[in-house]
Amino acid sequence: ESKPYPHGMIHGFCKEGFLEGILEELKQNSKVKFKETDLFRMYQSVDLGNLQEGSDLADNMPNLMKLKAAIYSPEYRAFVEKLTGLERGTLTDEVD
């Protein structure tokens, strides 16, 4: 019955205020570029996969780096595989 497309929610996934802290870090520290094609118009920020630990930008966004470490972890990939019924090892640490 999920609308507009099937989806699920994980309640209590983050501590209260954690994602709001990330949003504030992004607002204060990241730069965005406007991109436009014949198909879409958008603002693009730094690619999370390219954000390197120890860089000035990463040092200014500790909560974002915690989130990155969590969602890129083997434990989280295993959780998503189990949750979605994917064969173990389907999700890798490779980033496109």
Side-chain angles (χ1 to χ4, degrees):
E1 300 300 317
S2 302
K3 301 287 181 192
Y5 50 86
H7 64 279
M9 295 178 63
I10 303 172
H11 297 282
F13 183 72
C14 294
K15 290 183 180 178
E16 182 105 16
F18 180 70
L19 295 177
E20 288 83 358
I22 291 173
L23 179 59
E24 193 58 37
E25 288 176 358
L26 288 167
K27 285 180 180 179
Q28 297 298 320
N29 298 294
S30 69
K31 293 180 173 49
V32 295
K33 291 182 184 178
F34 180 74
K35 295 198 171 195
E36 183 174 14
T37 71
D38 58 336
L39 299 176
F40 61 86
R41 300 167 76 184
M42 65 179 234
Y43 289 95
Q44 185 174 18
S45 65
V46 65
D47 181 351
L48 183 59
N50 294 328
L51 189 56
Q52 298 298 314
E53 189 75 43
S55 69
D56 289 340
L57 187 56
D59 289 345
N60 289 325
M61 297 195 283
N63 289 316
L64 181 63
M65 295 306 291
K66 287 178 190 173
L67 178 63
K68 178 184 176 186
I71 64 175
Y72 281 52
S73 71
E75 296 83 5
Y76 184 74
R77 289 193 306 269
F79 166 72
V80 171
E81 288 170 343
K82 183 176 182 181
L83 184 69
T84 59
L86 290 171
E87 183 178 323
R88 188 160 170 76
T90 299
L91 300 177
T92 68
D93 61 355
E94 292 182 27
V95 179
D96 290 337

